[in-house]
Amino acid sequence: MFKEKIEILQEKFFSSLSQTNINDIADSFIFLTVSSDLHISEDEVRQTIKRIKADKASDISDISNRVLQTDLAELISILMSLFNAYVIHRYHLKQFKKTQMIVLCKLKKSDYTDSKTYQFIALLDIISKALKSIMTKRLSDIAETHHMLSDAQMKVRCKWFVISTLNLLVDQIHTIWDCKIKYIVFMLSLNVVEAFNQVLHIRLLHTLKMKRTSDYIVEWACSFLKNREISLRFNEQTSDMRKINANILQKFLISSILFLFFNTSLIEKCEALKIKIKVFNFINDINILIYNKFIEEICKILSRMHDVCAKWACTHDATFASEKYEFTHFIRKSKRFDMMISI
């Protein structure tokens, strides 16, 4: 019984190798990169260790966060040397690539043969977690400083908060409404299925290079992504370690910023159409705000935008969940428009 359940749960993590066409990626092309400091400072290490919660569950190494924080004065020079060695050699230790996932049943579900009725807690190596936190901040800082991400992309970015984003959306709608031209505003919301589990490493790394990300970060990310292994712990039993072919784990903070880079080309394609739209991107949720005087034109734009998203999905091994499509009308007077028209 344990093996059968593990096989069902493994489908959530162990994706097969993709057959997606990647002929558009030119390996021989050289991208100029932005310069950034390679050396990890003592202050970076100290601030990172202090930010980590002290008593979170430890991984199979049994080193708790509190140990590092308590003995930080004695360990900081060792940790700094260790982290700098990983960065200089663009290497993520093999032991750090092993993750144990605790499987918990969600309450009051009728069918526990569906992997979606389970939730997962990742037990991560604390030293690896500190290194990933440093690299996440560095990548985020470089992205902000050199404008590598679109303003439409939110989440895990400095000074971007949910309330601020909602206020931005509301302000955008009211700005459109207050125009002399009486526009109708419509929003199409799309969700990428199992987004983190379907990230093509070669496509992600190519995007990082195109965005001129520092070489050492790209090469470290390459080492971080490949040859990862996961075991599942369920009902006090643990499965064997198994390799993951093509994904990034959602449980890592660095995964969120990497996914923003992964789907930045979709945002750019949408914004390049030069039509009356505004895009809001929350990791794997794409929200496209469309406005026009005529609802018939909005329907044409929606169809065009959907085609753009579908083509992007084909080249990025992604799938949009059709059952999660949402269409939202923002209008002051519904009688002014024909709300029965179909796309």
Side-chain angles (χ1 to χ4, degrees), residues 51-66:
R51 281 198 302 267
I52 300 174
K53 293 182 180 179
D55 294 313
K56 294 197 73 173
S58 61
D59 73 326
I60 52 180
S61 69
D62 288 331
I63 300 176
S64 71
N65 304 6
R66 187 173 290 278

Side-chain angles (χ1 to χ4, degrees), residues 30-64:
I30 298 175
F31 299 96
L32 297 176
T33 63
V34 299
S35 60
S36 62
D37 188 12
L38 181 66
H39 179 73
I40 295 177
S41 68
E42 184 176 303
D43 187 59
E44 275 185 281
V45 177
R46 181 181 293 105
Q47 294 301 322
T48 300
I49 298 297
K50 286 182 177 180
R51 281 198 302 267
I52 300 174
K53 293 182 180 179
D55 294 313
K56 294 197 73 173
S58 61
D59 73 326
I60 52 180
S61 69
D62 288 331
I63 300 176
S64 71

Side-chain angles (χ1 to χ4, degrees), residues 256-268:
S256 296
I257 189 71
L258 288 176
F259 191 82
L260 285 181
F261 275 94
F262 180 70
N263 72 358
T264 188
S265 60
L266 173 60
I267 309 304
E268 291 169 351

Side-chain angles (χ1 to χ4, degrees), residues 168-183:
L168 180 63
L169 174 61
V170 172
D171 288 345
Q172 184 73 42
I173 293 169
H174 279 278
T175 299
I176 296 169
W177 277 349
D178 292 339
C179 291
K180 292 182 179 180
I181 302 173
K182 300 302 180 183
Y183 288 117

Side-chain angles (χ1 to χ4, degrees), residues 77-92:
S77 61
I78 299 174
L79 292 172
M80 187 175 67
S81 298
L82 186 66
F83 292 162
N84 275 301
Y86 292 143
V87 171
I88 290 171
H89 294 285
R90 279 77 160 168
Y91 180 70
H92 197 65

